[in-house]
Amino acid sequence: MSATPPPSARSPISAAFRPTRRGRPSPTSSPGARTCPDASWITWAELKAADWEEIANEVDDCVHEYRRSPDGTWVMHGQNSGLTRFAELSGHTDHHTLHHAGRVYAEGTEWPDGDRLFRIGRLRRKDAVPHRDWAPVWSVMRTLANLHGDEGVRLVVWFDG
């Protein structure tokens, strides 16, 4: 089965996380598998065991947009979202600077904007794989794992160019 990845999977994510596992054989090593260069995979068991609150090893290149929730806490809304407003607040118009603000500004730099906040920082693992985009994938994997076991279900990914 082949499906188009959610938008967040197609967008480059510059955060660096500790790998969930090293030394994995190619997903194409099984008979009849499709040949996909740069492919990798992860089991449902590994996804369940992942620390989704883990913070990236490096500052993200993208500026993070947060929205104030009803309880007053800031909730991440997106990466490099609202760039028109960010350009107004930061005073930058250069395309490269806007799209790579994390390389230009120090970690923790903020631009408040009412109930929005733009901030330079590190992603949490769960921010790199937003639930709103990936919930259908997790639901299918969970259902299959109930039938075939957590180790019997894996997500295969590959990256074009």
Side-chain angles (χ1 to χ4, degrees):
M1 178 172 93
S2 175
T4 302
S8 62
R10 293 189 303 264
S11 303
I13 296 173
S14 57
F17 291 96
R18 178 185 50 78
T20 55
R21 184 172 172 192
R22 294 184 187 272
R24 183 173 307 287
S26 168
T28 60
S29 60
S30 58
R34 242 176 100 170
T35 301
C36 299
D38 301 321
S40 188
W41 57 274
I42 189 168
T43 66
W44 179 244
E46 291 167 321
L47 285 167
K48 282 175 49 177
D51 178 3
W52 292 100
E53 294 297 326
E54 179 183 1
I55 297 174
N57 297 327
E58 300 172 8
V59 173
D60 190 18
D61 283 358
C62 301
V63 63
H64 302 166
E65 180 183 351
Y66 293 84
R67 302 272 174 100
R68 193 182 310 273
S69 68
D71 69 2
T73 60
W74 292 106
V75 177
M76 187 169 182
H77 178 72
Q79 296 171 265
N80 279 352
S81 55
L83 284 180
T84 301
R85 183 61 181 144
F86 174 65
E88 294 168 357
L89 293 168
S90 67
H92 284 286
T93 56
D94 175 64
H95 176 80
H96 187 268
T97 301
L98 290 173
H99 286 270
H100 302 283
R103 294 182 189 174
V104 178
Y105 293 100
E107 183 175 7
T109 304
E110 295 182 341
W111 296 263
D113 186 32
D115 284 341
R116 286 199 313 189
L117 173 72
F118 294 91
R119 178 187 299 151
I120 302 300
R122 298 169 192 250
L123 289 173
R124 292 172 297 173
R125 191 179 293 270
K126 72 180 180 183
D127 297 329
V129 187
H131 183 75
R132 69 180 177 272
D133 295 335
W134 286 86
V137 175
W138 305 151
S139 178
V140 169
M141 291 185 77
R142 187 179 305 106
T143 300
L144 291 170
N146 287 337
L147 297 170
H148 304 288
D150 292 350
E151 290 290 338
V153 178
R154 64 183 177 181
L155 176 65
V156 178
V157 297
W158 66 92
F159 303 94
D160 293 330

